[in-house]
Amino acid sequence: MPSEEELDAPSRQTLWMLGIMASATLAMWVMGRVACNYHVPGESLTPRALSAEERSKSSKDAAMEFARAIEAGDFATARLVATGAALSFVEEQEKACSDCAARQSAKEAIRMVGVVQEDNGKEGYVSVTVQGGARGEQKSLLHVVRGPKSFQVSEVLPLDAKIPKLERPSAKTDSSKGTNAVPPLLRRPSEPASSSSEEKR
């Protein structure tokens, strides 16, 4: 039988490389454990607070943010995601808010469900059900439109209001070619000439 030195399997170079890889993996695991997963008692990594505009990037998000702010007695936030007739609604709610302290104390228990009834990317109709607040279950139907930076609630409608059918945005047409304006890299290669023209020749 050949000796271990003659076999040289695994070689010393292989053992050194395996040792280096194992050491590097262990070092990276320790660094990740300390940097990402280690929490000192009493301290935690808190997420960045989002603004009302950042929480209203879709019609559904804007409607839910508006409904949550009204139910929590946070009328300053409600104004940020409202426009038109909805601003007047916020003013009326603030003047008639005799239980604002109770609303604000129960805001952490608020839970919401939003259902998009109609939406075309520019405006939408969203029904929102709020539960857990100081006033119990509250339902609303909101008309939402796209604002300069985010979506905004423009009107608070009756729950039985008839929702119109919104027109879907159509693709732009290239007037010179009569085709949809598709970026060049996404266009299909032009089809070969039809065989019927060759047969006529």
Side-chain angles (χ1 to χ4, degrees), residues 105-160:
S105 62
K107 64 181 181 180
E108 298 298 333
I110 292 177
R111 299 292 182 269
M112 297 174 296
V113 176
V115 179
V116 179
Q117 305 294 341
E118 274 289 327
D119 189 280
N120 64 355
K122 296 182 178 180
E123 62 176 325
Y125 291 85
V126 184
S127 59
V128 182
T129 302
V130 182
Q131 296 177 336
R135 300 190 299 170
E137 184 176 279
Q138 297 290 322
K139 295 183 178 181
S140 56
L141 178 61
L142 307 174
H143 180 208
V144 188
V145 297
R146 183 187 290 276
K149 295 183 179 180
S150 61
F151 280 85
Q152 295 177 305
V153 176
S154 65
E155 191 177 3
V156 180
L157 303 171
L159 294 178
D160 57 351

Side-chain angles (χ1 to χ4, degrees), residues 45-49:
L45 300 176
T46 56
R48 180 178 64 86

Side-chain angles (χ1 to χ4, degrees), residues 16-80:
W16 275 107
M17 292 299 297
L18 290 175
I20 293 173
M21 292 297 295
S23 301
T25 303
L26 182 60
M28 288 186 287
W29 176 82
V30 172
M31 293 171 60
R33 177 75 175 176
V34 172
C36 301
N37 301 327
Y38 178 69
H39 297 282
V40 178
E43 297 182 4
S44 61
L45 300 176
T46 56
R48 180 178 64 86
L50 299 177
S51 64
E53 293 178 350
E54 291 174 317
R55 297 194 299 267
S56 305
K57 292 303 183 181
S58 69
S59 59
K60 181 179 178 180
D61 292 339
M64 294 179 68
E65 181 66 18
F66 180 85
R68 184 209 62 80
I70 293 294
E71 191 58 29
D74 185 5
F75 300 103
T77 301
R79 291 188 186 92
L80 295 176

Side-chain angles (χ1 to χ4, degrees), residues 90-105:
V90 174
E91 297 295 336
E92 295 173 1
Q93 288 290 312
E94 186 174 13
K95 292 179 181 179
C97 184
S98 58
D99 57 345
C100 284
R103 293 194 197 184
Q104 293 173 2
S105 62

